[in-house]
Amino acid sequence: MNNPLLEPFDQAPFSKIKNEHFHPAITNAIDLAKKEIDAIVYNTDTPTFENTIAALDYSGYQLDRVSSIFFNLNSAETNEAIQKIAQEVSPLLSEFSNDITLNEGLFKKIKSVYEQKDALGLSTEEETLLNKRYKSFSRNGANLPNDKKQRLREIDTQLAKLKLTFGENLLAETNAFEMHLTNQEDLNGLPDGAKEAASQLAKSKNKEGWLITLDYPSYIPFMKYASNRELRKELALAFGSKGFKGNSLDNQENVLAIAKLRHERANLLGYKTHADFVLEERMAEKPEKVISFLNELQEKAKPAAIKEFKQLEDFAKELDGIGQLEKWDNSYYSEKLKQKLFSLDDELLKPYFKLENVIDGVFKVAEKLFGLQFKEVFNVDKYHEEVKTFEVYDEDQNFVSLFYADFHPRSGKRGGAWMTSFKSQFRKNGEEYRPHVSNVCNFTPSTPTKPSLLTFNEVTTLFHEFGHGLHGMLADTIYPSLSGTSVYWDFVELPSQILENWCYEKETLELFAKHYDTGELIPMDLIQKIKDSASFQEGMATLRQISFAKLDMAWHSNDPTPITNVKSFEKESFEGTNLFPDTPQTCMSTAFAHIFQGGYSSGYYSYKWAEVLDADAFAYFKEHGIFNKVIAKDFKYHVLSKGGTEKPMILYKRFRGTEPKISALLERGGLITA
C-alpha cells in the first residue's frame, strides 16, 4: 500500500491520506526515530553537543510531522475510526517517549556533555537546549532504579489512554444533546441570526422547527438572549453536566484516576505533588507562589465582584421579579444590564464584524506592526473544504509561513479555539525550515441570508488565537524544540492576550469594522461604547477565572488519594469564589478539558499571569503609539521570534526594560484607579 505519510512531503498531503495510513505511518516513523536514537547511542566518538544534544533535537522529524497531522485531525476533523486509532497509537507514542527518556546509554552521553558544559563555550540557545534536554531526562525518570522506571512507563501509558477517553466522552456528550424547539415563542429574545442558524441546523437533520446545541455559536446566544428561563436552565444544566451523568460517558472515575496517577508519578520522581513537578519549569516556579498570586488577585477582585453581583441581582429583581439569581440567569441579565448601562448590544455590533473583514483586519494589524503580508492561496491541500490557506511573507518578500484557518463548528471538531502547527520552524545544515501554522475556532457560521457575523467576543478570540499564530509564524531559532510556542506555559499566553488589546482601539477598528451590507465604517459612538464597556463586570470575570485556577491547583497541589467524590471536592475548592448558588446536577471538573485533556494541569493560572504581562506590555505600546514600529520590532525580536531560547523574564525585561507590574492589569480592569 502506498502511504503518503511515509513519502517525503512539505505540505501535509491531506487529500491523499486515508485513515488506514495513520497506524502504519506512526509505527514506521517510530522505528525510524529509534534508529536515529541508536545512531547517537552507539556512536563511538566522544559525546559532544553536536553529535548528542543537537542530533537528538533534530531526530524524530518524520514522527513529529505525522503525529502532528494525526492529532490535529483528531481535534478538528475526527470520527470514530480516528478516535479508535488514537487509542491504539497513543500508548505506542507514550512508550516511545519513555524509551528515549529511560534510555540509560543515551542519558549517559547527555550527562557527559552536561557535566562539561562550562568548558564548551556554548551560545545561549545551545546552553538552554542542553539544560532543557538534561532536565527532560532527569524529570522523566532517567535517574530512577529499574523497578521505578517500569512503574513510570505504566503510569504514562495509562495517562495517555485516560486523557483520550476523557476528551472523547466530552465530545460525545456535546454531540449527543439537542434541544428541539417547535414553538416559535420559545425563541423569544433570540436575534434573527441565531434563529436562522437554529432553523438551518434543524433542516440539516430533517427536523421541523429549531435545534439548539451545546456548540458555542448555538449555546451562547441562547443563554444570552432567550427570555424563556426554564429553557435556559435546561440548556445550562445540559452544558454543566457533561461527563457527570453516571452513564457510559461519565468522566468522574477518569478525573480521579488522572489526578491520582499524576500525583504518584510526581512522587516517583521525587516531587511533593504534580504541581511542584510542573511549576519547576514555569515562571511561577512553585505552587505557593501561584496560590499567593491568585489570593492577591482575589483580594482585589472580590469586593468589585460582590458589588457587581449585587447590581445584577437588583437589576433582575427590578426587571422580572427574580428572587434568586441562578447560573442560567447570568449571561441573560448581564447582557440586558450592559445594554442599559452602555446602550450596547452584541447584535448592534455584529453587522460590523463580518468574518472575512475581521480576518483582513487582523492581517492589517500584523502588517502595520511586523511588516507581514498574507496572500490567500488555493493550491494547498486541506483537510476540509472550509479551511482557508494563506502564504505569509515579510517586507522583503521572504517566505515566512504557511497559515491554515478553520473557523466554524462541525460534528467532528471539538469545542473552543486553539492554535497548532503542522510543521515546526528550525535551521539545520544551513537550510531554513519555515513553519506551517493553524488556527482552529468555532465561530458563528453564515446562513442563507447573512454572512458569518462575529460577536465582539468572537472578534477578540480570533485576535487571541492569531497572536499564538504569530508566535509560531515569526519563530527564528536553530533548534525545533525551542521554536515558536515552545516556551514556559505561563508565558505562552502573552503573544495571544496582548493582541486582544488592539480590538478595543479606534485606530484598529477603523481598519476593518465595516457594515457587511452598506460598507459603512463602525460609528464612533459604538467604538466609544466598546471601550467604556471593556471593564464591565471585570470583578466577576476575574473571580471566575480565579475559581478555575484554584480548582486546578486543588486537584494538583495536594495529595488526591483521599478524594472519593469529585463534586464534593470541587464544591469545597470553589468556596470563597462562588457568587451563584451551587447546582448539584453540574460539575466542572468532568468537562475541564484544559487540565484533564490538554496541557494546562497546574497551569490554568497562566491566563491571569499572562494578563499581568500583556497589560503591562500594552501599556508600553499605548504610551508610545499602538502601531509604534520600534516597540513592535522589539516585541517581535525579543518575544515572538525567540521561542524558548532563554528564560521568559529575561526576554520580557529586554523588551520592556523592567519586570511587569500587576497595577497595569488592575487599572485596565477598573479594579483600582491609576
Side-chain angles (χ1 to χ4, degrees), residues 553-595:
M553 293 307 288
W555 278 112
H556 295 116
S557 66
N558 304 288
D559 179 358
T561 312
I563 305 167
T564 54
N565 188 302
V566 172
K567 174 71 177 181
S568 302
F569 177 76
E570 174 177 299
K571 196 174 172 186
E572 198 178 312
S573 100
F574 280 151
E575 275 176 25
T577 57
N578 253 348
L579 295 169
F580 292 91
D582 176 61
T583 44
Q585 312 96 306
T586 66
C587 182
M588 168 139 192
S589 298
T590 55
F592 202 171
H594 272 78
I595 68 168

Side-chain angles (χ1 to χ4, degrees), residues 28-76:
N28 192 291
I30 287 173
D31 289 342
L32 180 63
K34 281 180 177 174
K35 285 176 186 157
E36 292 171 333
I37 300 297
D38 286 345
I40 298 168
V41 175
Y42 298 116
N43 185 348
T44 54
D45 294 344
T46 304
T48 65
F49 179 86
E50 281 303 321
N51 70 21
T52 303
I53 308 303
L56 179 58
D57 212 59
Y58 290 130
S59 71
Y61 177 65
Q62 186 173 12
L63 180 59
D64 289 342
R65 300 253 12 226
V66 173
S67 54
S68 74
I69 290 169
F70 175 72
F71 285 104
N72 285 330
L73 287 179
N74 193 35
S75 291

Side-chain angles (χ1 to χ4, degrees), residues 42 234 329 353 450 457 504 516 580 585 600 616 620 643-644:
Y42 298 116
E234 182 187 333
D329 299 317
F353 296 130
K450 285 192 183 78
N457 188 48
Y504 296 89
Y516 78 96
F580 292 91
Q585 312 96 306
Y600 275 88
D616 186 72
Y620 189 33

Side-chain angles (χ1 to χ4, degrees), residues 211-222:
L211 277 183
I212 306 297
T213 71
L214 300 182
D215 287 322
Y216 282 116
S218 179
Y219 175 77
I220 287 171
F222 200 89

Side-chain angles (χ1 to χ4, degrees), residues 333-345:
Y333 288 107
S334 291
E335 184 61 25
K336 286 257 190 290
L337 180 57
K338 189 164 95 173
Q339 288 175 26
K340 181 187 174 188
L341 295 176
F342 305 103
S343 305
L344 186 67
D345 177 357

Side-chain angles (χ1 to χ4, degrees), residues 198-211:
S199 165
Q200 197 177 337
L201 187 60
K203 281 193 184 109
S204 75
K205 300 197 174 184
N206 298 315
K207 293 186 177 180
E208 295 294 316
W210 302 266
L211 277 183

